[in-house]
Amino acid sequence: MRSLQGTAQWAVSTLVSLIVLGGINFLQAQQVWPGDINNNGIVNGVDLLYHGVAEGISGPERINTGTSWEAYDPALAWNGQFIDGLNYSRADVNGKGSVEQSDRKALWRKNYGQAHGAVIPDLFISGDPATDAVLNIVPVHPEVDAGDLIELSLSLGDASNPITNFFGLTFTLSFDPDHIADETTSPLWNPDVLNIELTSGNWLNPNGDDVETFVQIDNAAGKLEVVIMRKNPGTVTGHGQIASIMGTNIEDIVMLEGATATFTIGDSKLVDDNLVGYPVAGSTT
């Protein structure tokens, strides 16, 4: 027969064990929403960075495969995990047992912007332009006529504050929708009114096919989310121009005459191939 003290100790020990086991079971049983790889409740450019880090990894399939926006039971745990402890299996968007391009298409073209439950905001590390690398935009032509192309030069870092471990970058370009033509028939992930073109032969893209870009436009809100990511594992070091951002100026010359268009870069996240984040300062032009 247990003493009262022994019974109390046993009860506490059992409770602790149940809490620990319950926590493990809870983590293992977290359901998968296709594309929300970091499990913060929304699909966006940060999830695409997770996918890039895990691309090429394989493991057990999910019992139920698919990319419909609904909760799926997770696969058995794969070998390896992201820096935040989430299992690599979460990057297998369609659940077929490997992290590949088809997952990326489902994430970016089908489920981008979808949300579930309470959304936990992504963590962006705002840099100090005096001490950190700046993601800088400069107009190629400071003045344009209505209907002309607006072109912005995009650079990352400089000689004083270079980039040391670039794998991927996501940021948001905010703009006044009154100055950019409305989206027409093109998909939001491939807009014909505001897009980005990588510069080749430079530190980030020496061969012209070392990195790729992804965009999503919300013209009504005046937001363009951009992801620039290496195609292969590893990181690169350097600084300077990386791309051009181009938009079609609307043709209402009465409204635009003498007007000033403002573009601002914010919500930037620069990571290495382990998803370690580095501060980046935004800019306005």
Side-chain angles (χ1 to χ4, degrees):
M1 186 174 183
R2 290 191 183 95
S3 66
L4 290 176
Q5 182 179 4
T7 300
Q9 290 175 339
W10 172 84
V12 171
S13 175
T14 302
L15 179 61
V16 171
S17 297
L18 288 173
I19 291 173
V20 172
L21 290 174
I24 291 173
N25 290 335
F26 172 75
L27 289 175
Q28 290 177 340
Q30 281 182 326
Q31 292 185 305
V32 174
W33 290 80
D36 182 19
I37 299 175
N38 69 347
N39 199 36
N40 73 326
I42 191 168
V43 181
N44 58 19
V46 175
D47 294 297
L48 201 57
L49 296 179
Y50 274 69
H51 186 274
V53 167
E55 188 173 14
I57 296 173
S58 60
E61 293 185 10
R62 291 200 306 258
I63 294 176
N64 296 311
T65 61
T67 58
S68 297
W69 188 244
E70 58 185 87
Y72 292 80
D73 290 332
L76 295 175
W78 294 12
N79 292 326
Q81 59 188 24
F82 295 106
I83 191 173
D84 54 11
L86 292 171
N87 193 259
Y88 279 148
S89 65
R90 298 192 63 86
D92 179 17
V93 179
N94 59 24
K96 294 183 178 180
S98 62
V99 183
E100 55 191 9
Q101 287 290 320
S102 57
D103 297 309
R104 188 171 293 182
K105 290 179 180 178
L107 185 162
W108 199 249
R109 299 184 183 184
K110 182 177 182 180
N111 289 340
Y112 176 89
Q114 295 277 20
H116 65 96
V119 175
I120 302 171
D122 289 295
L123 177 63
F124 299 104
I125 309 174
S126 298
D128 182 345
T131 57
D132 298 313
V134 177
L135 188 56
N136 197 35
I137 44 174
V138 177
V140 175
H141 306 290
E143 294 185 4
V144 294
D145 291 327
D148 287 350
L149 188 70
I150 296 174
E151 184 175 359
L152 307 172
S153 175
L154 180 69
S155 63
L156 180 59
D158 56 27
S160 300
N161 296 296
I163 303 302
T164 56
N165 290 287
F166 183 101
F167 173 78
L169 167 73
T170 180
F171 65 91
T172 297
L173 178 72
S174 299
F175 59 92
D176 185 345
D178 288 341
H179 293 278
I180 300 296
D182 290 334
E183 193 69 32
T184 53
T185 59
S186 60
L188 301 181
W189 46 265
N190 187 28
D192 58 8
V193 296
L194 186 62
N195 217 321
I196 185 168
E197 182 176 306
L198 290 167
T199 304
S200 61
N202 60 359
W203 66 277
L204 184 61
N205 192 27
N207 301 308
D209 60 353
D210 304 277
V211 290
E212 54 190 332
T213 62
F214 306 84
V215 298
Q216 284 279 356
I217 192 170
D218 183 344
N219 194 277
K223 300 283 187 182
L224 181 79
E225 183 169 9
V226 179
V227 177
I228 303 175
M229 187 165 57
R230 282 178 51 79
K231 291 183 178 180
N232 298 310
T235 62
V236 292
T237 299
H239 63 86
Q241 186 181 16
I242 59 174
S244 294
I245 299 174
M246 290 167 287
T248 304
N249 199 357
I250 65 174
E251 298 182 1
D252 189 345
I253 194 167
V254 175
M255 185 178 72
L256 285 182
E257 187 173 1
T260 300
T262 300
F263 297 85
T264 300
I265 288 180
D267 288 348
S268 57
K269 190 176 188 71
L270 171 68
V271 299
D272 64 16
D273 53 354
N274 289 311
L275 289 175
V276 175
Y278 298 86
V280 174
S283 61
T284 296
T285 188

